[in-house]
Every structure is written in C-alpha cells, then in structure tokens.
Amino acid sequence: MARRALKLASWTSVALAASGVYLYSNKYLDPNDIGAVRVGRAVATTAVISYDYLTSLRSVPYGSEEYLQLRSEVHLRSARRLCELCCANRGTFIKVGQHLGALDYLLPQEYTSTLKVLHSQAPQSSMQEVRQVIREDLGKEVLVLAVKQLFPEFEFMWLVDEAKKNLPLELDFLNEGRNAEKVAQMLKHFDFLKVPQIYWDLSTKRVLLMEFVDGGQVNDRDYMERNMIDVNEISRHLGKMYSEMIFVNGFVHCDPHPGNVLVRKHPDTGKAEIVLLDHGLYQVLTEEFRLDYCRLWQSLICTDMKRVKKYSQRLGAGDLYPLFACMLTARSWSSVSRGISETPVTATEDSEIRNNAATYLPQISQLLSHVPRQMLLIFKTNDLLRGIEAALGTRASASSFLNMSRCCIRALAAHKKKNARSCFRRTRISVGEAFSLWRISLRELVLRLEAWRLAHWVLALLCWLLPAPH
C-alpha cells in the first residue's frame, strides 16, 4: 500500500511538472516564470513527498490502526506540499491542481479537501499588474507567445502538447468572449442557464469585461440549503446542459470545476439558475467522434458489451477497452458489465477505484497517449462533473442516464435524417426517434412514481412509529 501511495503521489507531482508550460509576456521578469525554477521546484516537491511516504509507512504494519492514521497524516502533508507547489508555480499548475481538487471519487479526501482551495482562492494578480495590462492592451494589443517544451522524452508528453495547444486559446480573452456568446445562443432554450454578458467595447485579447453575477459554488451543499435550492434539480440541470453540449452540439465547455460553475436564485423569478463562467477552453468535436461517442454511451447504458468493445476500440482504446469504459464511467468493470444504470455506486466500489488508481497508472498513460486528442478534454470534463456529483451526493442517478439517452437518440436521429435520401425514410427515422423518446419519458414517469410511493411509505411508517400526541 505504501508503494501504491508513493506511486500515486509521484505520478501526480510529475503530471503537474509536465503540465507546467507557461506563456508570459511582460517587461517585468519574475523568477517564477523561468522554466528551470518551476521544474526544479516540482522535482524537489516530488522527491520530498516520495521520501515522506517511504520513511513514514515503511516500519508500520499494513492495515493497522496506526498505519491508517499515519497514512492520513502523510496524505495531508503531501497534499499541502502540492498545493504550495501549485501556488508557487502558478499558470497550468493551478489548472491541474483545480482538476485534482475535484476528483472526490478518485483521490484520498486529504488531497481533494486541501486542493479545493484553488477553485476559489488561487493566487491573484495585484491591482498594479492589472492596471499595467489594461494600459497596454486598451492602447495596443501585444501578446508574445513563448512556448518551451519540457521533458522531451517523458511518458506524459501528450500533456505538454495539449497545454501548448490550449493555453494560447485560454489566454485570448476575445476568444473566450466569443465562446461565451456562442454557448449562450446554443443553449438559450435552457431557462436555468445564465452566461454573463460580454462588454465588447471594453475588451481586448488580454482584458475581458463582463457582467457581474453572484452565486455559490455548485458543490456547496450548505449554500444551496440556506438558499432553498434543490440539489437534485441542480444536478439534473448540469447533466442536461453537458449532455446537450457533448452529444448534440459537439461544442463542450471543458473547465467545469466548482469555481467556474455557480448556482443562485434568479433575483426576479426566484428559480434556481446555473451560472457558467470561464469560457476560454472549449473542445469542438468532429462529427465522427461525436457519433461514435453517442453510440458508446448508449451501449454502456444498455449494457451491450459487444458494442461497448466495438465503439471503445473505434475511439482508440484497443485492447484496453475495459479500462477505457471504467475511466469514462468512473465505475468498476464488474459494475459496467452488470449495467451502470442499474447498479448503484457503493462506498466499497469507490474505495476499490481509489486503491487501484495508482496500480493502473502505466496503462492509463498508454491509453491516453493513443485516444484521439478530443478525448483528453472530454475525460477532464467528465472527471470534474463527477467530482461535483460526488460532492452533492447525486452520482450515477437514473435521471442523468435518461437525459444522456435522450441526447444520444436525438443526435443519432438528426445524423440519419441528414443522410436520408427520401421523405419516407426521414419520416420513419422521426417516428422511431419519437417512440424512443416516449419510452424514456415513460421510464422517467415510472421512476418518479416509485420515488413518490417510497416517500409515501416512509411517511406512513414514521406516522405509525411516532403517533401524534392526543
């Protein structure tokens, strides 16, 4: 177990190091912006964490109460060191730290609770630095991109390649503004979604001015309870929104950590709203990828294992398709085989996934280096969304799978109708689509009735056990 913990901490730290590609353009040079300083700091942190795990757990009997206590203490110390590393190195290290902080279902609680601070309290620029950027950019647009490739032979080189491709987009605030307006138009039929308005006359590539919208973080149950916001409703809305983005439109907001997704009561109507922030990073899915991904999720929901293998391999998983399915669903292979829509998530399964994560890191690395680049950001998005669901206690609900099924049916039917050569063929496809959607609505109604009946039985039982005083 000590070796597993050591392996997990080492790979996490090295992944942070590999992700530390920083783009900077300013006349004032900060030592933190020198690649050697940042990489050296990451390597030193990795060494300290590795040594701590090796020496602290080596002489303690595995599984004993003392071992569990010591392991928790080492986890906490290591998490604090990683957090300090992220804050010191800034840039992409903050992004990766935010991602890790959302993986409640995968990483030990000591890591996620410590790294969650990066969702809302990441290091901030001083007002002097902000004013300097505004003075420079409102007069002229200057953006010098200097990308230095780290660790040329490192196994996670794809992380650096993705960072190199995505960071210029995230740092171009005009691109972010266009993405915000595009997704607001694309999802305008969702009255629960709020995307802040962009003020174009005061925005440049390095300055983005938008409407201020207040709210609590989407994983803050206490905030929702204080403001009488239904946790399950928010979880359903989030699932609908992302299913529409991924399966129907192929235009996906890829940074939904809790600091970028707020909830609030609408000031006029009082209805619950989701506020979507930080539109710098979107993934545009090709039609072929999007349709194969739809078919894969349909197969996973219906427990059609032959099609799970087929479409996993079409998406680049090869012989590692069982691992691929487990990573997509965040479920064990036995749960995937029995049916993820029928098998609830258990504490035992969560523990099994956490304990086995480090063991399979080499295979995970191999898999991620072979799947299409589009899949990398989809994995990241899935991880962040599952972290939110885990924090809200709404993971793997039946309603989320029904919403995904609806979007997959609509997307595949639209593709078939577009390629149909006759009106009769298009009509048949439309009728089949309507029937499939009707079956899902019927299933949803049955689930609601079952939930209502269960609640009625519980209430009746409580009334019988605790009769009202005469």
Side-chain angles (χ1 to χ4, degrees), residues 128-145:
Q128 180 181 358
E129 291 172 314
V130 172
R131 289 193 186 101
Q132 176 65 25
V133 171
I134 292 174
R135 278 197 299 269
E136 289 178 0
D137 271 64
L138 291 181
K140 59 179 181 177
E141 293 184 7
V142 179
L143 186 61
V144 179
L145 304 180

Side-chain angles (χ1 to χ4, degrees), residues 186-457:
M186 188 176 81
L187 302 180
K188 64 182 180 181
H189 55 289
F190 288 148
D191 59 0
F192 58 79
L193 175 62
K194 171 67 177 176
V195 177
Q197 179 185 349
I198 307 297
Y199 297 102
W200 289 109
D201 54 335
L202 294 173
S203 298
T204 73
K205 290 184 77 172
R206 293 176 68 197
V207 179
L208 184 65
L209 186 64
M210 65 179 70
E211 172 189 8
F212 175 76
V213 183
D214 201 5
Q217 289 190 2
V218 71
N219 62 343
D220 189 343
R221 287 185 66 105
D222 292 338
Y223 174 88
M224 294 190 209
E225 289 171 3
R226 288 196 307 271
N227 290 273
M228 293 181 291
I229 297 173
D230 186 345
V231 170
N232 291 304
E233 181 185 22
I234 291 298
S235 184
R236 284 195 302 270
H237 287 342
L238 198 60
K240 284 181 183 178
M241 192 170 78
Y242 268 88
S243 291
E244 192 88 8
M245 281 194 240
I246 293 171
F247 300 115
V248 178
N249 295 286
F251 185 69
V252 190
H253 180 286
C254 287
D255 202 13
H257 69 71
N260 287 342
V261 186
L262 307 182
V263 293
R264 68 167 188 169
K265 282 284 189 73
H266 191 283
D268 298 326
T269 65
K271 292 183 177 180
E273 273 191 334
I274 292 176
V275 182
L276 192 60
L277 306 175
D278 194 353
H279 299 271
L281 184 59
Y282 273 75
Q283 178 68 67
V284 179
L285 307 180
T286 64
E287 184 173 65
E288 180 183 7
F289 176 94
R290 180 174 61 85
L291 296 174
D292 281 342
Y293 195 61
C294 282
R295 296 180 183 111
L296 173 58
W297 266 106
Q298 278 194 319
S299 305
L300 287 165
I301 293 169
C302 298
T303 324
D304 185 339
M305 303 312 293
K306 287 185 178 180
R307 285 167 61 88
V308 167
K309 178 179 180 180
K310 173 183 176 181
Y311 289 109
S312 294
Q313 291 182 334
R314 284 186 61 163
L315 289 169
D319 292 336
L320 293 173
Y321 72 90
L323 177 62
F324 183 69
C326 293
M327 289 171 63
L328 272 181
T329 58
R331 303 294 301 273
S332 66
W333 179 243
S334 61
S335 293
V336 172
S337 302
R338 292 197 307 270
I340 55 173
S341 59
E342 305 296 332
T343 312
V345 180
T346 64
T348 302
E349 184 180 5
D350 272 344
S351 177
E352 177 188 341
I353 291 170
R354 284 194 181 95
N355 291 336
N356 290 335
T359 305
Y360 290 104
L361 276 172
Q363 289 88 346
I364 292 172
S365 169
Q366 180 186 346
L367 179 62
L368 294 178
S369 66
H370 286 92
V371 296
R373 301 297 90 183
Q374 300 166 81
M375 182 57 72
L376 299 178
L377 286 179
I378 294 294
F379 271 132
K380 175 190 174 185
T381 303
N382 284 349
D383 283 343
L384 293 172
L385 290 173
R386 288 211 186 82
I388 292 171
E389 290 175 347
L392 297 180
T394 58
R395 275 191 63 201
S397 64
S399 62
S400 66
F401 292 123
L402 292 176
N403 286 325
M404 292 173 71
S405 294
R406 276 196 184 94
C407 288
C408 290
I409 289 167
R410 287 170 48 212
L412 293 171
H415 173 69
K416 291 175 184 176
K417 283 186 279 189
K418 185 176 72 172
N419 293 303
R421 296 184 179 180
S422 68
C423 182
F424 176 72
R425 175 63 178 157
R426 284 190 292 272
T427 302
R428 283 189 60 187
I429 294 168
S430 296
V431 170
E433 175 188 7
F435 180 70
S436 297
L437 293 174
W438 176 81
R439 287 178 59 190
I440 290 175
S441 297
L442 183 61
R443 171 65 175 155
E444 193 169 44
L445 177 61
V446 169
L447 288 173
R448 288 181 179 177
L449 289 174
E450 288 176 350
W452 177 84
R453 185 167 57 183
L454 178 62
H456 180 73
W457 285 345

